[in-house]
Amino acid sequence: MNIDFALLVPEFLLAGLVFVMFGVDLFLPADKKAYLPYLGVAGLMAVIGSVFSLLGDEGSLYGGIFLVDEYALFFKVFFPIVGIVMMLASRDFVTKHLENPGEFYGLVMVSVLAMMLMASAAELLTGYIALELLSFCLYIMAAYAKREARSNEAGIKYILIGAFSSAFLLYGISLIYGSVGTTTFTGIAEALQAGDDLRTAFLAGLIFIVVGFGFKVVAVPFHMWAPDVYEGAPVPVTAYLAVASKAASFVLMLRLFATAFMPALDDWKIIIAVLAALTMTVGNVVAISQSSIKRLMAYSSIGHAGFIMVGIAALSESASNALMLYLVGYSAATFAAFLCIIIYFNLTGKEQIVDFAGLAERSPMLALALTVSLFSLAGLPFFAGFTIKFYLFTAAAREGLLWLAAIAMINSLISVYYYLMVIKQMYMKPAQDPQESTTAVERLKVPPVTTALLALLIGVVFLVGVYPAPIVHLIEEATPLLFSNAATSLASGP
Amino acid sequence: MKLAIAVISVLTLGLSIYIFVAFDNDLQGYQFQTNRYEWLSDLGVTFHLGVDGIATPMVLLTGIVMVTAIFMSWNLNYRTKDFFALLMVLITGVYGVFLSLDLFFLFFFYELAVVPMYLLIGVWGSTRKEYGALKLVLYLVASSVLVWVGILAIFIEGGLGSFNLLDLKEAEFGSGFQRAVFPLLMFGFGVLAGLWPFHTWSPDGHVAAPTSVSMLHAGVLMKLGAFGIIRVALELLPQGAEDWKLVLVGLATVNVIYGAIAAMSQKDLKYVIGYSSISHMGYVLMGIATLDPRGMTGAVYQMFSHGIMTALFFALVGVVYDRTHTRDISILEGLSKRMGITATFFAVAGLTSMGLPGLSGFIAELLVFVGLFKTYPVIGVLGVIGAAITAVYILRLLAKVFFGPLDPRWEKLPDCSRLEGAAMLGLVAVLIFGGVYPQPFTSMIDSGVGPILQRISLLT
């Protein structure tokens, strides 16, 4: 077997940089540690550069269990960007509220590495190990505010549930291996097309895998842990959980379902569709009654997980395009919203929805940015949310799931209500607090780096909203490959 | 900033007038078409603009109402920049709906027109503004879900992989499908047109909204609903229109009568005008439901005429509210002694609303009634009764608020400013022009209505 290690350069580079980060952290005096994220950003940019150098020589490694194709490369650019955003977004927060910043940024980099591996994984165990690597980083990060009981509780809950869901995944993998005799995605697809005497064990395995992923992407009824963990974790980590962990799980899930399980589409379509409907309904309805902005965002992200699952249920090339675009638009808008929440928390230490009263007076820029991101999440036009929802729901309707699309639209309507509640606080309520009537009207000073970052994210939200063609073009090159394995084996099948 | 907005809006009005003047009634199909710019090829979404004989008067209407609305809020001094920026977003959405020939973009702009309303009403509004703003947005977004489902169903059933209206017109839609999807669009767009019983967002929204937003809301935003019914539902689903026209005309009759009676019993000037809008939009929907050339032309002309008239009404109410800080009819008395110009304009708007000959409302309502008597004579009688009720509440309002003895507390009231007067004079001029020389409008609308009705008549 000819192994082209050049394909692994980004991963090796990133792994090396993690140790550089840990090493530099050891020797850096405490007052200089605020510069660490810039080191991380430079490193991740180098990683992105090395990914670009791979364009054009796609290939596979280790007998096809590790793929470097356009799909993987797309996300190998996407995830480091998420990592960069995460480091810059959390810089002020970490400096102020957390100990051991070096390890924190190191963990972010390890998690980016894990997500990059997930994008490439074309075999169940490889995918599982990458997912575990990501999860372990997140367990630690959720409990990173170690002097805070809330954060500790979040960490414990998260690791227990995480272990539980991993067990489901592993059991599902073993059942599938038992029934088809292979764990590679293409192998599973071929076995599915060849024989039909393996239905029961295979289906059981598939359901276990769905349950396992259900925990990871926070689908109802496997969502109970999420609001507590989201609320307890430090705010930037909450953002990271809502964006990165969810996106990476969907990236792996999409490849798994599109490549391996596609031949059995009719068996699992309805399961995923029902899960999606449940997830979005529970997420959006429960979000209405929240008073903490972090919990609101937690339930909103559950609702969005439901929307994204519509794309899996309606799996087709069009749906897969839509799903990838959704991940981009959702990530940008969610991170932008969280960045506003982080900035506000850094400046005031508050995180209730009512605390946002009068933000439009205190910092018009911040209020506008949060409004734009929430409008985008609500799916209103000019912003990414409208485009991605329209694309995804149309793709679903095309695959005969108009009923699911209709449920999704109604949920989207519900979400408008609770996002407006936040906007109402910012624009229509006076910035008055009886205890601190003197400071309330003070303007908030937002640091320039975060302002620039926020502008960038909002820019992406607008770009996807009004001119998605460039990104869609990249996506359209990536998706056919997901289905090509199934298609070629279909052609060569009996 | 304000100056830039004024220049841009006047230029836009100029372009709208140019389109109106240069529109050729004898040509078939859509005019001033842009290229089809591919926007999302996977879904067959193209950016494609063009107008027909129905959209052109609406474009002109939008231009006129926009310019006057901006001048009416010239003296606004609370977060001016934000206000005008949002107003511009709203107007972009309105223009977009009238111009789009692609259902995706039609829907895009349709939703875009709704978004800024929340902040415009919630931040700059008055009475119960948070309630009014939220109610309005939730009603409209909920109705847009129906439209969305309808558009997706048309897209799938059309099977052409295109959202373009011109492509979809060639598609064959089964009669069962049309019967099922037409109500989605009829009610979805109908909510925005103030269709009873989903109209309550509109008066509440009006009362809460600042003057210029009320003007745009009643003047053009509600027209989007009626326009959507014609453009999407009638053009693509002629069989569905045939099946559902009785329901539509029935509800529209309730609109006319109920709106007029409700307007009669209001204490707040804005509620009166708000409910009168509901009543007048009823005529529009009635005219559409006749599926008759006269009735439809009347409906579209009524959209134009009512748009100008109601913008004038809300501008006047805004002036009165600005000077007296009240809209309570029982307090306002004899204002014409101090506010002569305002009172005169109000009388013109009121007479248009009653359908007095010489003003555009007369032509529009006459055409609607002609169409109605041809198709549903009984409903026609009810429509005329509605007009009679309108006369009652408008004349009572005029008599009480403007004429009659002057209440001493309004002794020192200033009249409208020159800018306001000029803006409103423009609206009055359009009303009179439309009343004495309606030919350019009606023949243009005829050219747009004709092909649609031809498709429907081919069915039977």
Side-chain angles (χ1 to χ4, degrees):
Chain A
M1 197 190 302
N2 187 15
I3 296 175
D4 182 7
F5 281 110
L7 294 175
L8 282 173
V9 164
E11 280 81 4
F12 278 125
L13 180 61
L14 184 51
L17 284 167
V18 172
F19 289 102
V20 172
M21 175 65 92
F22 287 147
V24 171
D25 179 46
L26 279 181
F27 298 104
L28 211 60
D31 57 327
K32 294 268 164 36
K33 292 207 176 175
Y35 293 104
L36 280 173
Y38 298 122
L39 175 68
V41 169
L44 286 174
M45 281 184 172
V47 170
I48 294 173
S50 71
V51 173
F52 275 116
S53 75
L54 287 182
L55 284 178
D57 16 85
E58 291 82 6
S60 69
L61 283 170
Y62 311 118
I65 67 173
F66 187 90
L67 289 183
V68 182
D69 52 9
E70 265 98 351
Y71 180 75
L73 289 177
F74 181 85
F75 284 108
K76 282 181 188 190
V77 175
F78 177 75
F79 287 134
I81 293 175
V82 173
I84 290 173
V85 173
M86 170 65 181
M87 286 199 197
L88 293 177
S90 55
R91 180 174 171 264
D92 293 334
F93 184 91
V94 172
T95 316
K96 237 179 176 171
H97 300 282
L98 298 181
E99 297 165 34
N100 308 328
E103 280 88 341
F104 185 85
Y105 300 119
L107 282 172
V108 172
M109 291 168 83
V110 178
S111 64
V112 171
L113 173 63
M115 293 191 284
M116 287 167 69
L117 294 173
M118 283 165 82
S120 273
E123 190 256 353
L124 285 172
L125 282 171
T126 313
Y128 171 78
I129 290 167
L131 184 58
E132 282 302 277
L133 182 58
L134 172 65
S135 298
F136 274 91
C137 296
L138 296 175
Y139 300 151
I140 305 171
M141 285 162 73
Y144 216 83
K146 58 183 175 190
R147 311 246 178 258
E148 248 186 79
R150 227 168 46 144
S151 176
N152 283 319
E153 184 195 327
I156 299 274
K157 266 191 189 156
Y158 194 21
I159 196 166
L160 286 178
I161 296 290
F164 194 55
S165 65
S166 298
F168 269 106
L169 267 181
L170 264 187
Y171 193 45
I173 291 171
S174 69
L175 278 174
I176 285 186
Y177 179 68
S179 62
V180 298
T182 176
T183 53
T184 62
F185 292 177
T186 42
I188 294 171
E190 277 162 23
L192 281 178
Q193 278 153 10
D196 49 2
D197 50 337
L198 38 87
R199 279 285 180 255
T200 326
F202 175 81
L203 270 184
L206 198 146
I207 288 171
F208 276 114
I209 286 189
V210 170
V211 172
F213 273 113
F215 277 110
K216 297 288 182 200
V217 302
V218 201
V220 174
F222 318 112
H223 66 289
M224 299 301 185
W225 60 277
D228 291 346
V229 173
Y230 279 38
E231 199 189 10
V235 205
V237 179
T238 309
Y240 203 55
L241 285 174
V243 174
S245 122
K246 201 159 279 196
S249 302
F250 272 116
V251 167
L252 179 58
M253 206 173 162
L254 180 58
R255 194 196 281 276
L256 173 63
F257 279 74
T259 309
F261 296 157
M262 197 62 186
L265 177 68
D266 297 333
D267 291 326
W268 49 262
K269 186 174 198 156
I270 188 70
I271 302 176
I272 304 271
V274 169
L275 272 185
L278 268 180
T279 305
M280 63 179 95
T281 310
V282 170
N284 283 313
V285 170
V286 180
I288 292 176
S289 59
Q290 300 308 316
S291 57
S292 149
I293 190 101
K294 275 161 91 182
R295 279 186 95 86
L296 179 96
M297 291 304 289
Y299 280 105
S300 133
S301 85
I302 294 175
H304 281 279
F307 294 144
I308 301 175
M309 282 166 74
V310 171
I312 305 258
L315 202 54
S316 66
E317 274 195 29
S318 187
S320 148
N321 289 341
L323 199 158
M324 286 168 73
L325 190 67
Y326 200 105
L327 288 180
V328 175
Y330 163 79
S331 302
T334 308
F335 231 128
F338 266 112
L339 187 52
C340 297
I341 297 168
I342 295 170
I343 295 171
Y344 193 67
F345 184 80
N346 284 341
L347 293 171
T348 63
K350 291 179 178 169
E351 51 179 48
Q352 295 298 306
I353 295 173
V354 286
D355 295 333
F356 282 77
L359 185 62
E361 299 281 350
R362 303 180 67 187
S363 173
M365 191 273 297
L366 206 55
L368 182 67
L370 189 50
T371 304
V372 167
S373 21
L374 292 180
F375 272 155
S376 175
L377 289 173
L380 296 172
F382 247 22
F383 312 121
F386 181 80
T387 312
I388 58 183
K389 278 185 184 167
F390 199 98
Y391 197 172
L392 189 64
F393 300 165
T394 307
R398 257 185 182 172
E399 294 301 307
L401 290 176
L402 188 60
W403 63 271
L404 187 57
I407 293 178
M409 291 169 198
I410 293 168
N411 271 295
S412 190
L413 161 69
I414 298 172
S415 75
V416 172
Y417 176 77
Y418 59 81
Y419 292 126
L420 283 184
M421 290 298 98
V422 181
I423 294 166
K424 181 174 97 178
Q425 290 294 339
M426 294 191 295
Y427 280 91
M428 297 169 204
K429 299 287 182 194
Q432 277 170 4
D433 197 5
Q435 272 99 44
E436 38 181 308
S437 49
T438 45
T439 56
V441 282
E442 213 175 81
R443 302 264 287 189
L444 297 173
K445 283 193 193 67
V446 183
V449 177
T450 28
T451 309
L453 184 65
L454 198 54
L456 210 69
L457 288 171
I458 297 292
V460 175
V461 169
F462 269 109
L463 179 72
V464 177
V466 294
Y467 189 56
I471 300 175
V472 172
H473 183 68
L474 290 175
I475 288 172
E476 277 174 347
E477 279 182 14
T479 38
L481 295 164
L482 291 179
F483 296 90
S484 64
N485 291 319
T488 46
S489 44
L490 199 67
S492 62
Chain B
M1 172 72 185
K2 264 198 303 199
L3 201 65
I5 292 284
V7 169
I8 291 169
S9 62
V10 169
L11 283 179
T12 315
L13 172 62
L15 286 175
S16 306
I17 293 174
Y18 169 74
I19 288 181
F20 184 81
V21 172
F23 187 88
D24 188 341
N25 295 340
D26 300 327
L27 287 179
Q28 288 286 316
Y30 297 91
Q31 300 179 28
F32 299 102
Q33 281 190 40
T34 60
N35 290 332
R36 293 187 183 197
Y37 299 102
E38 222 164 63
W39 193 77
L40 230 177
S41 51
D42 192 17
L43 293 186
V45 173
T46 49
F47 186 72
H48 186 195
L49 304 179
V51 290
D52 64 354
I54 298 170
T56 311
M58 294 299 112
V59 168
L60 181 65
L61 168 71
T62 312
I64 297 171
V65 175
M66 165 184 67
V67 171
T68 43
I70 283 169
F71 286 126
M72 287 311 291
S73 47
W74 198 249
N75 294 325
L76 185 113
N77 50 19
Y78 176 64
R79 293 204 220 160
T80 323
K81 251 194 284 183
D82 305 359
F83 180 82
F84 283 108
L86 286 169
L87 210 60
M88 280 312 190
V89 175
L90 168 63
I91 291 162
T92 307
V94 172
Y95 266 121
V97 173
F98 289 140
L99 295 174
S100 291
L101 291 182
D102 187 282
L103 289 188
F104 171 85
F105 275 102
L106 193 138
F107 185 62
F108 179 99
F109 287 118
Y110 183 78
E111 291 246 305
L112 186 60
V114 175
V115 181
M117 289 297 277
Y118 181 72
L119 290 171
L120 281 171
I121 296 177
V123 177
W124 289 273
S126 49
T127 323
R128 289 208 298 169
K129 56 185 184 179
E130 284 166 25
Y131 168 79
L134 189 63
K135 184 171 181 178
L136 179 140
V137 169
L138 289 185
Y139 259 79
L140 296 189
V141 177
S143 71
S144 77
V145 169
L146 294 179
V147 172
W148 196 353
V149 175
I151 287 178
L152 279 193
I154 286 174
F155 171 72
I156 307 285
E157 185 76 9
L160 300 170
S162 166
F163 277 101
N164 198 296
L165 203 70
L166 303 186
D167 296 344
L168 286 170
K169 268 181 157 176
E170 310 296 322
E172 297 278 328
F173 297 106
S175 59
F177 173 82
Q178 297 203 16
R179 196 170 300 136
V181 174
F182 190 85
L184 291 177
L185 296 170
M186 183 178 94
F187 285 108
F189 284 120
V191 172
L192 189 51
L195 183 67
W196 187 87
F198 309 109
H199 63 283
T200 58
W201 61 272
S202 175
D204 286 339
H206 278 311
V207 172
T211 300
S212 51
V213 176
S214 277
M215 290 170 72
L216 285 163
H217 168 174
V220 289
L221 197 67
M222 289 176 82
K223 308 299 176 287
L224 296 186
F227 180 79
I229 293 181
I230 299 176
R231 175 67 99 227
V232 184
L234 249 53
E235 282 203 35
L236 295 178
L237 309 171
Q239 180 65 48
E242 200 60 51
D243 295 337
W244 282 88
K245 64 180 180 184
L246 278 177
V247 176
L248 184 58
V249 82
L251 291 176
T253 314
V254 180
N255 256 54
V256 169
I257 306 283
Y258 172 87
I261 293 175
M264 206 153 56
S265 56
Q266 296 302 325
K267 300 266 175 297
D268 185 316
L269 259 183
K270 262 196 166 176
Y271 265 122
V272 177
I273 311 301
Y275 275 106
S276 109
S277 280
I278 300 295
S279 172
H280 280 89
M281 285 308 287
Y283 290 121
V284 174
L285 296 171
M286 270 180 173
I288 293 173
T290 57
L291 301 183
D292 169 87
R294 293 284 147 276
M296 277 272 276
T297 304
V300 178
Y301 196 40
Q302 171 78 339
M303 280 159 74
F304 180 82
S305 158
H306 174 253
I308 302 284
M309 172 193 93
T310 199
L312 179 58
F313 263 137
F314 279 114
L316 290 161
V317 174
V319 170
V320 170
Y321 183 63
D322 187 51
R323 307 294 187 275
T324 64
H325 301 288
T326 181
R327 293 189 304 251
D328 191 339
I329 298 173
S330 57
I331 301 179
L332 296 166
E333 223 163 5
L335 296 185
S336 70
K337 307 274 190 308
R338 288 287 166 271
M339 306 177 76
I341 301 174
T342 311
T344 315
F345 287 165
F346 204 97
V348 174
L351 295 176
T352 316
S353 165
M354 287 154 50
L356 205 79
L359 296 161
S360 61
F362 170 71
I363 313 288
E365 284 179 25
L366 185 71
L367 285 167
V368 171
F369 290 145
V370 169
L372 270 179
F373 277 112
K374 221 161 90 186
T375 43
Y376 320 98
V378 182
I379 303 276
V381 173
L382 289 173
V384 175
I385 293 176
I389 305 174
T390 306
V392 173
Y393 70 79
I394 290 292
L395 289 177
R396 271 195 354 191
L397 191 68
L398 270 172
K400 172 78 177 64
V401 173
F402 288 99
F403 303 99
L406 180 67
D407 191 310
R409 80 181 99 178
W410 310 129
E411 207 58 78
K412 293 210 162 58
L413 229 47
D415 205 344
C416 55
S417 72
R418 266 192 209 153
L419 189 64
E420 288 166 340
M424 291 190 290
L425 185 64
L427 293 175
V428 169
V430 176
L431 286 180
I432 294 173
F433 179 81
V436 295
Y437 186 51
Q439 177 65 22
F441 294 95
T442 48
S443 54
M444 179 183 295
I445 296 168
D446 274 333
S447 79
V449 166
I452 298 173
L453 291 175
Q454 209 173 3
R455 275 164 68 91
I456 295 175
S457 63
L458 284 177
L459 295 167
T460 45

